mmCIF file of all heavy atoms in Angstrom:
data_model
loop_
_atom_site.group_PDB
_atom_site.id
_atom_site.type_symbol
_atom_site.label_atom_id
_atom_site.label_comp_id
_atom_site.label_asym_id
_atom_site.label_seq_id
_atom_site.Cartn_x
_atom_site.Cartn_y
_atom_site.Cartn_z
ATOM 1 N N ASP P 979 -3.390 147.990 168.700
ATOM 2 C CA ASP P 979 -3.601 148.723 167.409
ATOM 3 C C ASP P 979 -2.956 150.117 167.484
ATOM 4 O O ASP P 979 -2.306 150.573 166.528
ATOM 5 C CB ASP P 979 -5.077 148.999 167.096
ATOM 6 C CG ASP P 979 -5.655 147.582 166.701
ATOM 7 O OD1 ASP P 979 -4.922 146.588 166.412
ATOM 8 O OD2 ASP P 979 -6.934 147.410 166.770
ATOM 9 N N ILE P 980 -3.120 150.882 168.570
ATOM 10 C CA ILE P 980 -2.672 152.284 168.606
ATOM 11 C C ILE P 980 -1.165 152.304 168.907
ATOM 12 O O ILE P 980 -0.498 153.220 168.483
ATOM 13 C CB ILE P 980 -3.454 153.111 169.662
ATOM 14 C CG1 ILE P 980 -3.429 154.621 169.277
ATOM 15 C CG2 ILE P 980 -2.855 152.901 171.087
ATOM 16 C CD1 ILE P 980 -4.616 155.392 169.788
ATOM 17 N N PHE P 981 -0.598 151.241 169.577
ATOM 18 C CA PHE P 981 0.820 151.172 169.657
ATOM 19 C C PHE P 981 1.488 151.039 168.243
ATOM 20 O O PHE P 981 2.517 151.671 167.916
ATOM 21 C CB PHE P 981 1.264 149.953 170.523
ATOM 22 C CG PHE P 981 0.929 150.072 171.952
ATOM 23 C CD1 PHE P 981 0.580 148.885 172.670
ATOM 24 C CD2 PHE P 981 0.677 151.266 172.547
ATOM 25 C CE1 PHE P 981 0.138 148.970 174.026
ATOM 26 C CE2 PHE P 981 0.306 151.324 173.929
ATOM 27 C CZ PHE P 981 0.040 150.188 174.615
ATOM 28 N N TYR P 982 0.831 150.137 167.412
ATOM 29 C CA TYR P 982 1.313 149.979 166.110
ATOM 30 C C TYR P 982 1.238 151.255 165.180
ATOM 31 O O TYR P 982 2.169 151.604 164.477
ATOM 32 C CB TYR P 982 0.581 148.851 165.472
ATOM 33 C CG TYR P 982 1.110 148.374 164.120
ATOM 34 C CD1 TYR P 982 2.292 147.590 164.131
ATOM 35 C CD2 TYR P 982 0.485 148.719 162.972
ATOM 36 C CE1 TYR P 982 2.795 147.168 162.827
ATOM 37 C CE2 TYR P 982 1.035 148.232 161.685
ATOM 38 C CZ TYR P 982 2.069 147.503 161.668
ATOM 39 O OH TYR P 982 2.609 147.140 160.497
ATOM 40 N N GLU P 983 0.066 151.992 165.367
ATOM 41 C CA GLU P 983 -0.122 153.233 164.621
ATOM 42 C C GLU P 983 0.976 154.176 164.988
ATOM 43 O O GLU P 983 1.653 154.803 164.153
ATOM 44 C CB GLU P 983 -1.510 153.801 164.986
ATOM 45 C CG GLU P 983 -1.757 155.109 164.206
ATOM 46 C CD GLU P 983 -3.101 155.655 164.651
ATOM 47 O OE1 GLU P 983 -3.889 155.107 165.457
ATOM 48 O OE2 GLU P 983 -3.361 156.822 164.197
ATOM 49 N N ALA P 984 1.249 154.472 166.331
ATOM 50 C CA ALA P 984 2.366 155.269 166.744
ATOM 51 C C ALA P 984 3.697 154.839 166.354
ATOM 52 O O ALA P 984 4.560 155.712 165.880
ATOM 53 C CB ALA P 984 2.260 155.406 168.279
ATOM 54 N N ALA P 985 3.986 153.598 166.281
ATOM 55 C CA ALA P 985 5.259 153.083 165.856
ATOM 56 C C ALA P 985 5.546 153.321 164.394
ATOM 57 O O ALA P 985 6.674 153.257 163.986
ATOM 58 C CB ALA P 985 5.371 151.666 166.182
ATOM 59 N N ASN P 986 4.485 153.592 163.664
ATOM 60 C CA ASN P 986 4.669 153.885 162.190
ATOM 61 C C ASN P 986 4.293 155.304 161.811
ATOM 62 O O ASN P 986 4.015 155.619 160.648
ATOM 63 C CB ASN P 986 3.779 152.919 161.471
ATOM 64 C CG ASN P 986 4.372 151.449 161.474
ATOM 65 O OD1 ASN P 986 5.310 151.189 160.778
ATOM 66 N ND2 ASN P 986 3.716 150.629 162.309
ATOM 67 N N ALA P 987 4.215 156.154 162.805
ATOM 68 C CA ALA P 987 3.853 157.545 162.521
ATOM 69 C C ALA P 987 5.088 158.489 162.537
ATOM 70 O O ALA P 987 6.205 158.117 163.002
ATOM 71 C CB ALA P 987 2.917 158.172 163.782
ATOM 72 N N SER P 988 4.946 159.564 161.890
ATOM 73 C CA SER P 988 6.017 160.598 161.846
ATOM 74 C C SER P 988 7.398 160.090 161.384
ATOM 75 O O SER P 988 8.364 160.455 161.811
ATOM 76 C CB SER P 988 6.265 161.273 163.235
ATOM 77 O OG SER P 988 4.962 161.930 163.667
ATOM 78 N N GLY P 989 7.304 159.148 160.432
ATOM 79 C CA GLY P 989 8.590 158.620 159.800
ATOM 80 C C GLY P 989 9.122 157.467 160.601
ATOM 81 O O GLY P 989 10.226 157.016 160.210
ATOM 82 N N SER P 990 8.520 157.090 161.636
ATOM 83 C CA SER P 990 9.058 155.847 162.365
ATOM 84 C C SER P 990 8.663 154.584 161.791
ATOM 85 O O SER P 990 7.703 154.516 160.964
ATOM 86 C CB SER P 990 8.497 156.053 163.897
ATOM 87 O OG SER P 990 8.943 154.848 164.596
ATOM 88 N N THR P 991 9.218 153.514 162.198
ATOM 89 C CA THR P 991 8.786 152.137 161.870
ATOM 90 C C THR P 991 8.985 151.337 163.062
ATOM 91 O O THR P 991 9.607 151.773 164.066
ATOM 92 C CB THR P 991 9.644 151.583 160.785
ATOM 93 O OG1 THR P 991 10.997 151.195 161.201
ATOM 94 C CG2 THR P 991 9.953 152.565 159.529
ATOM 95 N N VAL P 992 8.419 150.069 162.987
ATOM 96 C CA VAL P 992 8.584 149.157 164.091
ATOM 97 C C VAL P 992 9.988 148.833 164.412
ATOM 98 O O VAL P 992 10.329 148.337 165.466
ATOM 99 C CB VAL P 992 7.746 147.882 163.920
ATOM 100 C CG1 VAL P 992 6.252 148.264 163.852
ATOM 101 C CG2 VAL P 992 8.110 147.122 162.592
ATOM 102 N N ASP P 993 10.878 149.013 163.498
ATOM 103 C CA ASP P 993 12.313 148.701 163.707
ATOM 104 C C ASP P 993 12.954 149.633 164.708
ATOM 105 O O ASP P 993 13.957 149.271 165.344
ATOM 106 C CB ASP P 993 13.095 148.850 162.348
ATOM 107 C CG ASP P 993 12.796 147.737 161.477
ATOM 108 O OD1 ASP P 993 12.325 146.601 161.915
ATOM 109 O OD2 ASP P 993 13.083 147.897 160.233
ATOM 110 N N TYR P 994 12.269 150.758 164.981
ATOM 111 C CA TYR P 994 12.775 151.644 166.045
ATOM 112 C C TYR P 994 12.195 151.329 167.449
ATOM 113 O O TYR P 994 12.471 152.040 168.462
ATOM 114 C CB TYR P 994 12.337 153.009 165.673
ATOM 115 C CG TYR P 994 13.119 153.726 164.515
ATOM 116 C CD1 TYR P 994 12.493 154.329 163.451
ATOM 117 C CD2 TYR P 994 14.519 153.538 164.431
ATOM 118 C CE1 TYR P 994 13.197 154.857 162.324
ATOM 119 C CE2 TYR P 994 15.171 154.026 163.285
ATOM 120 C CZ TYR P 994 14.462 154.757 162.308
ATOM 121 O OH TYR P 994 15.129 155.213 161.297
ATOM 122 N N VAL P 995 11.485 150.268 167.550
ATOM 123 C CA VAL P 995 10.838 149.857 168.839
ATOM 124 C C VAL P 995 11.551 148.599 169.317
ATOM 125 O O VAL P 995 11.542 147.529 168.685
ATOM 126 C CB VAL P 995 9.319 149.556 168.613
ATOM 127 C CG1 VAL P 995 8.864 149.079 170.091
ATOM 128 C CG2 VAL P 995 8.673 150.817 168.144
ATOM 129 N N HIS P 996 12.267 148.709 170.442
ATOM 130 C CA HIS P 996 13.030 147.543 170.979
ATOM 131 C C HIS P 996 12.175 146.739 171.903
ATOM 132 O O HIS P 996 12.458 145.534 172.237
ATOM 133 C CB HIS P 996 14.214 148.013 171.741
ATOM 134 C CG HIS P 996 15.407 147.021 171.717
ATOM 135 N ND1 HIS P 996 16.146 146.789 170.634
ATOM 136 C CD2 HIS P 996 15.843 146.208 172.660
ATOM 137 C CE1 HIS P 996 17.005 145.859 170.936
ATOM 138 N NE2 HIS P 996 16.826 145.432 172.248
ATOM 139 N N GLY P 997 11.187 147.425 172.493
ATOM 140 C CA GLY P 997 10.230 146.708 173.383
ATOM 141 C C GLY P 997 9.260 147.594 174.002
ATOM 142 O O GLY P 997 8.991 148.721 173.620
ATOM 143 N N PHE P 998 8.617 147.098 175.112
ATOM 144 C CA PHE P 998 7.589 147.811 175.852
ATOM 145 C C PHE P 998 7.776 147.679 177.278
ATOM 146 O O PHE P 998 8.388 146.706 177.791
ATOM 147 C CB PHE P 998 6.210 147.307 175.471
ATOM 148 C CG PHE P 998 5.714 147.582 173.954
ATOM 149 C CD1 PHE P 998 6.247 146.894 172.884
ATOM 150 C CD2 PHE P 998 4.859 148.662 173.681
ATOM 151 C CE1 PHE P 998 5.933 147.182 171.598
ATOM 152 C CE2 PHE P 998 4.533 148.925 172.472
ATOM 153 C CZ PHE P 998 5.042 148.237 171.386
ATOM 154 N N ILE P 999 7.189 148.550 178.003
ATOM 155 C CA ILE P 999 7.326 148.509 179.547
ATOM 156 C C ILE P 999 5.949 148.693 180.137
ATOM 157 O O ILE P 999 5.101 149.473 179.639
ATOM 158 C CB ILE P 999 8.235 149.639 180.062
ATOM 159 C CG1 ILE P 999 8.341 149.549 181.611
ATOM 160 C CG2 ILE P 999 7.837 151.053 179.597
ATOM 161 C CD1 ILE P 999 9.446 150.369 182.208
ATOM 162 N N SER P 1000 5.648 147.841 181.183
ATOM 163 C CA SER P 1000 4.368 147.942 181.896
ATOM 164 C C SER P 1000 4.628 148.385 183.383
ATOM 165 O O SER P 1000 5.756 148.296 183.859
ATOM 166 C CB SER P 1000 3.586 146.572 181.840
ATOM 167 O OG SER P 1000 4.075 145.749 182.826
ATOM 168 N N ASN P 1001 3.608 148.863 183.922
ATOM 169 C CA ASN P 1001 3.532 149.161 185.387
ATOM 170 C C ASN P 1001 4.402 150.405 185.754
ATOM 171 O O ASN P 1001 4.734 150.564 186.937
ATOM 172 C CB ASN P 1001 3.941 147.968 186.165
ATOM 173 C CG ASN P 1001 3.280 148.030 187.564
ATOM 174 O OD1 ASN P 1001 2.166 148.196 187.774
ATOM 175 N ND2 ASN P 1001 4.160 147.613 188.568
ATOM 176 N N THR P 1002 4.804 151.269 184.812
ATOM 177 C CA THR P 1002 5.577 152.350 185.164
ATOM 178 C C THR P 1002 4.958 153.277 186.175
ATOM 179 O O THR P 1002 3.813 153.733 185.961
ATOM 180 C CB THR P 1002 5.958 153.158 183.913
ATOM 181 O OG1 THR P 1002 6.512 152.233 182.931
ATOM 182 C CG2 THR P 1002 6.991 154.207 184.285
ATOM 183 N N ALA P 1003 5.621 153.464 187.319
ATOM 184 C CA ALA P 1003 5.232 154.323 188.336
ATOM 185 C C ALA P 1003 3.824 153.877 188.887
ATOM 186 O O ALA P 1003 3.081 154.582 189.467
ATOM 187 C CB ALA P 1003 4.956 155.782 187.872
ATOM 188 N N ASN P 1004 3.649 152.510 188.896
ATOM 189 C CA ASN P 1004 2.354 151.926 189.348
ATOM 190 C C ASN P 1004 2.679 150.846 190.404
ATOM 191 O O ASN P 1004 3.842 150.567 190.692
ATOM 192 C CB ASN P 1004 1.537 151.442 188.171
ATOM 193 C CG ASN P 1004 -0.041 151.593 188.593
ATOM 194 O OD1 ASN P 1004 -0.650 150.758 189.220
ATOM 195 N ND2 ASN P 1004 -0.548 152.692 188.102
ATOM 196 N N TYR P 1005 1.559 150.194 190.848
ATOM 197 C CA TYR P 1005 1.658 149.323 191.974
ATOM 198 C C TYR P 1005 1.180 147.894 191.756
ATOM 199 O O TYR P 1005 1.077 147.112 192.633
ATOM 200 C CB TYR P 1005 0.861 149.920 193.148
ATOM 201 C CG TYR P 1005 1.321 151.347 193.606
ATOM 202 C CD1 TYR P 1005 0.884 152.492 192.931
ATOM 203 C CD2 TYR P 1005 2.188 151.397 194.613
ATOM 204 C CE1 TYR P 1005 1.374 153.747 193.303
ATOM 205 C CE2 TYR P 1005 2.643 152.726 195.007
ATOM 206 C CZ TYR P 1005 2.181 153.890 194.281
ATOM 207 O OH TYR P 1005 2.664 155.143 194.755
ATOM 208 N N SER P 1006 0.762 147.613 190.512
ATOM 209 C CA SER P 1006 0.352 146.296 190.228
ATOM 210 C C SER P 1006 1.357 145.150 190.450
ATOM 211 O O SER P 1006 2.547 145.361 190.116
ATOM 212 C CB SER P 1006 -0.059 146.133 188.740
ATOM 213 O OG SER P 1006 -1.168 147.094 188.456
ATOM 214 N N ALA P 1007 0.933 144.118 191.105
ATOM 215 C CA ALA P 1007 1.860 143.024 191.440
ATOM 216 C C ALA P 1007 2.470 142.381 190.219
ATOM 217 O O ALA P 1007 1.721 142.164 189.149
ATOM 218 C CB ALA P 1007 1.117 141.901 192.263
ATOM 219 N N THR P 1008 3.708 142.048 190.223
ATOM 220 C CA THR P 1008 4.458 141.275 189.207
ATOM 221 C C THR P 1008 3.795 139.910 188.989
ATOM 222 O O THR P 1008 3.476 139.556 187.892
ATOM 223 C CB THR P 1008 5.873 141.174 189.426
ATOM 224 O OG1 THR P 1008 6.492 142.458 189.609
ATOM 225 C CG2 THR P 1008 6.593 140.491 188.240
#
C-alpha cells in the first residue's frame, strides 16, 4: 500500500516505476 502511495505522490505515477529491489545491503539468502 505504501509503495503505491509513494509511486503516486508528488506528481509521480506508477508509469515511472520500472520495478523493485530486495535485500539491498542485506544478507538474506536468495
Side-chain angles (χ1 to χ4, degrees):
D979 292 343
I980 208 154
F981 296 149
Y982 189 76
E983 181 184 355
N986 289 283
S988 298
S990 179
T991 75
V992 294
D993 289 335
Y994 291 132
V995 180
H996 207 78
F998 289 78
I999 181 169
S1000 82
N1001 205 45
T1002 307
N1004 212 276
Y1005 299 85
S1006 296
T1008 305

